[in-house]
Amino acid sequence: MTLKSLQVDATWVRRLVALAGRGWDRSELEDVFLRHGWARLGAGGRPEIAWGGGAASPHDIDGGGEGGIGWRLELGDPPGKGAEDAYVRLSCALFWPAFGEEPQDAEHTEDEEDDLDGDYGPAWIRRPGATRADFHAEYDRLGALIRAELGEPDRTTSADMDEYGEIWNRDTGEVVLQRTDDINSYSHYDVIALRVGIVQHPR
């Protein structure tokens, strides 16, 4: 059993949840990405941001590739007229094996390997031998950081295989902290993700 997590601190949480309170003008949002170091200027003088890639093609923040998977954001539709699913999502922690249950034979699991671990770079802090309780503790830690900004969630969701989510409603969007299946790794991991979804208001 393994847990790996990014060092998502109060600053990261504050910056992400603040997105849900913005008007989500594309140009203004891309300027925010630039100020936070989440994007670099492209040849045309605008930030290079991979909108629409979602889980299939995340937007690398720290270069990615050479040192393994690092900080990256999954991005939905570019905000603006006609956007149906505009969002920003950060995968914060990964737990293996997936699907919500502790293995019955822990000794056997220790002999197995997390085959995808080598794909992840040094930005991910590894905790070999971690339990699902440790995974839940990381979820609770992140939840406490969001509560410090937004108070208690407006609602919660749950499903089989340890899926759980807390949702905070905002004027122009919603903030979701979710514990769920990791699409990026084709369900190799369970993931804790912080997602900011945008409500598009007609102008």
Side-chain angles (χ1 to χ4, degrees):
M1 295 174 282
T2 64
L3 170 65
K4 51 178 152 278
S5 59
L6 294 170
Q7 293 181 297
V8 180
D9 58 12
T11 298
W12 259 102
V13 168
R14 189 177 306 115
R15 288 175 173 177
L16 281 167
V17 301
L19 298 181
R22 301 186 63 85
W24 280 75
D25 171 84
R26 179 172 178 172
S27 180
E28 291 179 4
L29 183 60
E30 290 183 347
D31 286 341
V32 169
F33 272 52
L34 198 62
R35 287 200 302 274
H36 292 339
W38 299 348
R40 292 170 291 279
L41 282 177
R46 292 299 305 162
E48 291 183 330
I49 300 176
W51 291 109
S57 183
H59 169 76
D60 287 313
I61 294 174
D62 54 3
E66 295 179 7
I69 296 168
W71 291 84
R72 59 188 190 178
L73 296 170
E74 297 170 25
L75 304 176
D77 295 338
K81 187 176 181 180
E84 296 182 358
D85 192 19
Y87 65 86
V88 175
R89 183 177 188 263
L90 174 68
S91 294
C92 304
L94 300 167
F95 185 79
W96 175 88
F99 303 119
E101 295 183 359
E102 296 284 9
Q104 296 299 310
D105 186 349
E107 185 174 326
H108 174 69
T109 303
E110 289 176 2
D111 293 335
E112 296 178 356
E113 293 184 1
D114 174 1
D115 294 333
L116 298 185
D117 184 65
D119 295 345
Y120 291 80
W124 292 86
I125 307 303
R126 290 157 172 82
R127 295 175 60 186
T131 66
R132 186 159 289 275
D134 295 318
F135 184 57
H136 285 196
E138 179 63 7
Y139 181 94
D140 292 341
R141 184 188 74 83
L142 293 167
L145 292 176
I146 300 173
R147 283 173 171 78
E149 299 294 321
L150 304 179
E152 291 299 313
D154 294 289
R155 64 188 191 279
T156 62
T157 63
S158 61
D160 294 336
M161 298 187 293
D162 202 35
E163 290 191 314
Y164 184 74
E166 295 172 308
I167 299 100
W168 289 261
N169 297 326
R170 313 301 291 161
D171 289 341
T172 57
E174 65 177 14
V175 175
V176 182
L177 182 65
Q178 54 189 177
R179 194 171 66 229
T180 188
D181 178 41
D182 181 45
I183 298 174
N184 265 318
S185 64
Y186 298 95
S187 302
H188 183 77
Y189 296 109
D190 284 345
V191 64
I192 298 169
L194 176 54
R195 184 185 190 276
V196 181
I198 314 311
V199 176
Q200 299 288 345
H201 294 292
R203 294 189 174 187

